[in-house]
């Protein structure tokens, strides 16, 4: 070895790195290992702090960044040729299982940077480093996307099951109530209350439903149910002033849509303004092959969800 070779070896020795591997010397790996354990301990302690019980929105998943750094330091302390690199998947899997998609968008680049640092430390060539990053980025992206999509589907399934259970409980209670009522007027009121409960998501404020008795060219509001306490029982609306009801009476089909204010007559427009109704789902009620009335579930500022709108339809069909 010439003088320059000896000088380079001496410089590497002074810097604490082996000339052949580029990894820290054993004396330094112990310090790196202790620092990694220290970071891990601090993260565990921070997790139990009261301040982290409700972290701010921007801080969600912030603990995964130092956790990734600690895992990278642990890998460096163990050497470059180990199986510990797979531990870098832990932050990715954790954010995919318990975090929001935006947390995965932060964790994946952090893990990629850590992998790049490990590759540079191991003196990998540019080709090897690019292949390594492409493989890990593809793997982490696939895990995150698939997990978040699966969580979304499971959440939707659970919400659907809970809503069906809620509607079943409402129907069961309504059936017990209706079987004890012999007054037709009370039956119609109970039906309006049932429509308001079934056609609105749980914990919805201002639920409203009403039953219109169709008499000739007019619709008589004979019963309503409103969480705000407002009532319009006794109002008579010309069917021609109500485009949705006119279509329901003419076709006998269910309609669930936003109310076209410009097409409404003055009498209906007055009621819509008082009750702040913007959307409505209308179900025709038949008696002896003719339309007896229309059961309407109203929405204030939002449409009646299609999944909930099927509930009064099923109730009508069961008759």
């Amino acid at each position: 070895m010439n003088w320059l070779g000896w000088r380079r070896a001496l410089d590497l020795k002074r810097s604490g790195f082996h000339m052949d591997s580029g990894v820290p010397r054993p004396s330094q790996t112990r310090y790196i290992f202790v620092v990694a354990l220290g970071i891990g301990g601090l993260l565990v302690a921070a997790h139990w702090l009261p301040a982290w019980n409700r972290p701010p929105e921007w801080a969600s998943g912030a603990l995964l960044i130092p956790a990734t750094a600690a895992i990278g330091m642990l890998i460096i302390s163990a050497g470059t040729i180990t199986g510990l690199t797979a531990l870098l998947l832990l932050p990715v899997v954790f954010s995919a299982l318990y975090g929001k998609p935006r947390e995965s968008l932060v964790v994946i680049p952090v893990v990629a940077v850590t992998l790049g640092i490990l590759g540079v430390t191991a003196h990998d060539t540019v080709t090897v480093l690019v292949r390594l990053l492409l493989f890990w980025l593809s793997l982490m992206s696939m895990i995150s996307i698939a997990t978040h999509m699966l969580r979304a589907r499971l959440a939707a399934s659970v919400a659907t099951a809970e809503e069906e259970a809620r509607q079943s409980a409402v129907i069961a209670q309504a059936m017990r109530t209706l079987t004890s009522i012999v007054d037709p007027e009370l039956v119609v009121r109970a039906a309006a209350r049932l429509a308001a409960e079934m056609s609105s998501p749980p914990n919805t404020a201002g639920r409203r439903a009403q039953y219109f008795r169709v008499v000739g060219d007019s619709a008589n509001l004979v019963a309503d149910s409103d969480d705000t306490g407002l009532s319009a029982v006794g109002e008579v609306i010309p069917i021609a002033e109500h485009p949705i009801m006119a279509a329901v009476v003419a076709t006998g089909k269910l309609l669930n849509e936003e109310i076209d204010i410009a097409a409404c007559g003055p009498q209906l427009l007055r009621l819509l303004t008082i009750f702040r109704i913007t959307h409505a789902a209308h179900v025709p009620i038949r008696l002896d092959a003719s339309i007896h009335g229309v059961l309407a579930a109203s929405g204030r500022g939002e449409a009646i969800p299609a999944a909930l709108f099927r509930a009064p339809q099923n109730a009508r069909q069961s008759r």
Side-chain angles (χ1 to χ4, degrees):
M1 183 180 295
N2 56 23
W3 182 84
L4 291 177
W6 283 106
R7 179 63 181 272
R8 180 174 180 273
L10 180 61
D11 291 340
L12 289 173
K13 183 176 181 180
R14 288 177 178 175
S15 62
F17 285 81
H18 292 295
M19 182 177 61
D20 54 344
S21 62
V23 299
R25 295 178 61 86
S27 60
Q28 290 189 331
T29 58
R30 287 193 295 268
Y31 294 121
I32 296 177
F33 180 75
V34 171
V35 172
L37 291 181
I39 295 176
L42 291 176
L43 293 176
V44 173
H47 180 73
W48 295 102
L49 290 177
W52 282 99
N53 290 336
R54 292 182 178 179
E57 192 72 15
W58 61 268
S60 59
L63 292 178
L64 295 177
I65 297 177
T68 304
I71 294 175
M73 297 173 67
L74 182 64
I75 295 173
I76 292 177
S77 66
T80 56
I81 305 178
T82 65
L84 296 179
T85 307
L87 292 177
L88 289 172
L89 287 176
L90 291 178
V92 177
V93 174
F94 184 88
S95 64
L97 288 176
Y98 303 103
K100 298 179 180 179
R102 65 169 178 268
E103 296 178 12
S104 297
L105 292 177
V106 174
V107 172
I108 291 177
V110 172
V111 174
V113 171
T114 304
L115 288 168
I117 295 175
L118 292 176
V120 172
T121 304
H123 293 296
D124 290 338
T125 63
V126 175
T127 302
V128 172
L129 188 58
V130 170
R131 290 177 179 175
L132 178 69
L133 291 177
L134 287 177
F135 169 77
W136 278 89
L137 285 173
S138 301
L139 178 62
M140 292 185 295
S141 300
M142 181 180 65
I143 292 175
S144 297
I145 294 174
T147 305
H148 284 298
M149 291 180 63
L150 179 60
R151 287 178 57 193
R153 291 184 179 181
L154 290 176
S157 299
V158 171
T160 300
E162 291 178 349
E163 177 58 28
E164 290 178 352
R166 184 186 71 87
Q167 292 183 2
S168 298
V170 171
I171 292 176
Q173 179 62 32
M175 294 299 294
R176 288 192 294 266
T177 303
L178 291 175
T179 53
S180 62
I181 298 176
V182 294
D183 188 347
E185 183 178 351
L186 295 179
V187 171
V188 173
R189 292 179 181 177
R193 184 175 64 255
L194 174 63
E197 294 179 358
M198 291 185 61
S199 299
S200 303
N203 302 323
T204 298
R207 297 177 299 181
R208 177 174 176 81
Q210 52 270 323
Y211 183 77
F212 294 94
R213 174 75 169 90
V214 176
V215 181
D217 296 332
S218 300
N220 302 340
L221 203 160
V222 298
D224 61 2
S225 175
D226 197 317
D227 287 349
T228 63
L230 297 176
S231 177
V233 173
E235 293 282 350
V236 179
I237 303 173
I239 296 179
E241 288 193 9
H242 201 316
I244 300 179
M245 186 177 298
V248 170
V249 174
T251 63
K253 297 181 179 180
L254 300 88
L255 286 178
N256 180 18
E257 59 187 39
E258 184 178 0
I259 299 175
D260 185 4
I261 301 297
C264 296
Q267 191 167 344
L268 175 62
L269 186 59
R270 176 179 60 85
L271 295 176
L272 294 178
T273 303
I274 294 175
F275 292 97
R276 296 178 288 108
I277 295 174
T278 58
H279 299 74
H282 290 71
V283 182
I285 305 298
R286 295 183 179 275
L287 183 64
D288 297 332
S290 61
I291 295 181
H292 178 271
V294 176
L295 184 63
S298 304
R300 292 181 166 105
E302 58 182 0
I304 304 297
L308 300 178
F309 178 58
R310 287 195 296 267
Q313 177 182 0
N314 294 335
R316 180 184 70 91
Q317 292 176 347
S318 64
R319 289 190 55 169

